[in-house]
Amino acid sequence: MYSEIEINNWLKKMWLDYCKMNPQSQAIEELLVKKGEIIINDHIALRTFNHPSMNIKVFQKLIEKLGYKEKEHYEFVEKKLHAVHFEHSNEILPKIFVSELLVEKCSGLIQETVTNLAQSVTPEFTSNIDFMMKGRPWEMSYQVYEKIAKESEYASWLSAHGFRPNHFTVAIHFLKTFNDIRKINSLLQENNFKLNQSGGVIKGSISEFLEQSSTMAGEIPVQFNEGVYNIPGCYYEFAQRYKMPNGKLFHGFVAKSADKIFESTNKN
Ligand code: NI
């Protein structure tokens, strides 16, 4: 079992990797810190394929070693995704949201591609918790990336970037001054950060006990077999949780909102 210090070190390493993929997160963090805020991370999101070499179960074994427990499952029928969220008994530690693409529901092209990529995902590669920020262990062709993207943006993102935190999330409800999603969204827009508009800027509602918004992923250069191409990287998310009638903060996710948040890595 890992100590909380080790978990925090792991998250810190992930944050640094993530900031390389998404420099705007660092800029937003600095902006909030300048306003006197201390940022608590609500959750990190990880993406994978449901191939046996790298499915959620492979993640789960390691995540449980961190002291996290499996909570709820979510289905995204149209995007062909399944997801699980994990929680630590220490509420200040971020939740971990892991989603997987249901490859058998996809086209022959995606199935073949994933079978190929999976050859590079050895048990040794996934034996250490750090694999979740190791990027892709496989080679990738830009031509295949583009073809896959037409069918599944999720599959294309994952095949290009591999294993990395897809987003970190500011827990708005723990902020001092900007403890309202509307204030955060205005601040971001005033500072020219582009927000995901799919399904409206704010996803969810107070009656669902969770409101979320996110930036759109900026493009970053990625090495493919044919050369370097600019493609969407990662985004930053903002979540405001509300107390349920029992007085406890809601810690789950709203599938309908998460469905729209996934679109933050779509090409503009
Ligand atoms: Ni999220």
Side-chain angles (χ1 to χ4, degrees):
M1 201 66 100
Y2 291 78
S3 70
E4 282 182 23
I5 293 172
E6 286 171 308
I7 299 173
N8 279 316
N9 285 340
W10 177 70
L11 288 165
K12 181 77 196 168
K13 265 195 279 176
M14 247 189 191
W15 168 257
L16 294 175
D17 174 69
Y18 164 77
C19 285
K20 273 187 257 157
M21 301 276 294
N22 185 23
Q24 64 175 359
S25 293
Q26 216 156 10
I28 294 169
E29 189 192 41
E30 279 165 22
L31 179 65
L32 285 169
V33 168
K34 237 191 265 168
K35 302 270 181 192
E37 298 287 3
I38 295 165
I39 296 172
I40 306 277
N41 183 18
D42 181 80
H43 65 270
I44 58 166
L46 305 170
R47 293 179 170 187
T48 195
F49 294 113
N50 74 338
H51 186 279
S53 66
M54 54 180 135
N55 62 17
I56 289 180
K57 293 269 175 252
V58 174
F59 283 70
Q60 182 158 358
K61 254 196 255 164
L62 295 165
I63 289 170
E64 284 177 347
K65 281 193 189 154
L66 296 178
Y68 277 81
K69 290 207 163 57
E70 176 183 357
K71 292 286 172 177
E72 271 175 84
H73 286 244
Y74 309 88
E75 303 302 330
F76 305 93
V77 178
E78 222 174 279
K79 292 190 172 65
K80 300 173 175 133
L81 300 173
H82 165 74
V84 185
H85 99 261
F86 300 88
E87 287 178 25
H88 197 276
S89 56
N90 180 350
E91 279 194 17
I92 291 298
L93 287 172
K95 288 167 267 297
I96 303 178
F97 184 92
V98 190
S99 58
E100 61 185 5
L101 182 73
L102 307 173
V103 179
E104 71 281 2
K105 292 194 169 21
C106 300
S107 68
L109 171 72
I110 288 187
Q111 292 186 29
E112 269 169 47
T113 305
V114 173
T115 305
N116 273 332
L117 303 184
Q119 288 174 8
S120 308
V121 187
T122 61
E124 199 196 347
F125 179 79
T126 54
S127 65
N128 187 293
I129 190 96
D130 286 353
F131 96 82
M132 298 173 200
M133 58 182 115
K134 280 269 148 64
R136 41 166 236 245
W138 51 70
E139 294 203 332
M140 189 63 202
S141 129
Y142 185 70
Q143 210 194 334
V144 175
Y145 165 84
E146 277 204 307
K147 270 193 208 158
I148 289 178
K150 285 188 191 131
E151 179 185 339
S152 165
E153 180 282 327
Y154 183 102
S156 67
W157 188 94
L158 180 55
S159 58
H161 296 298
F163 305 105
R164 322 206 93 117
N166 169 266
H167 61 268
F168 275 64
T169 313
V170 175
I172 301 172
H173 43 281
F174 289 137
L175 296 178
K176 284 180 287 186
T177 317
F178 288 89
N179 57 351
D180 181 330
I181 193 164
R182 287 144 202 91
K183 281 194 214 167
I184 284 279
N185 290 345
S186 308
L187 178 72
L188 293 172
Q189 283 170 323
E190 279 161 23
N191 286 276
N192 302 318
F193 291 103
K194 211 171 159 210
L195 298 179
N196 174 342
Q197 308 278 341
S198 179
V201 173
I202 297 175
K203 284 87 170 135
S205 60
I206 297 172
S207 59
E208 289 164 302
F209 311 113
L210 177 62
E211 291 182 306
Q212 290 164 281
S213 63
S214 67
T215 61
M216 284 303 285
E219 294 202 345
I220 52 165
V222 171
Q223 180 76 51
F224 289 90
N225 297 345
E226 301 93 328
V228 174
Y229 292 84
N230 285 335
I231 61 164
C234 299
Y235 56 91
Y236 210 5
E237 190 185 307
F238 308 88
Q240 181 161 17
R241 297 185 178 278
Y242 294 89
K243 282 183 180 162
M244 298 180 287
N246 65 8
K248 287 191 178 147
L249 210 56
F250 173 71
H251 281 297
F253 292 85
V254 177
K256 177 166 55 77
S257 303
D259 193 74
K260 298 293 177 205
I261 296 267
F262 277 121
E263 293 169 21
S264 307
T265 48
N266 283 8
K267 250 193 159 83
N268 296 330

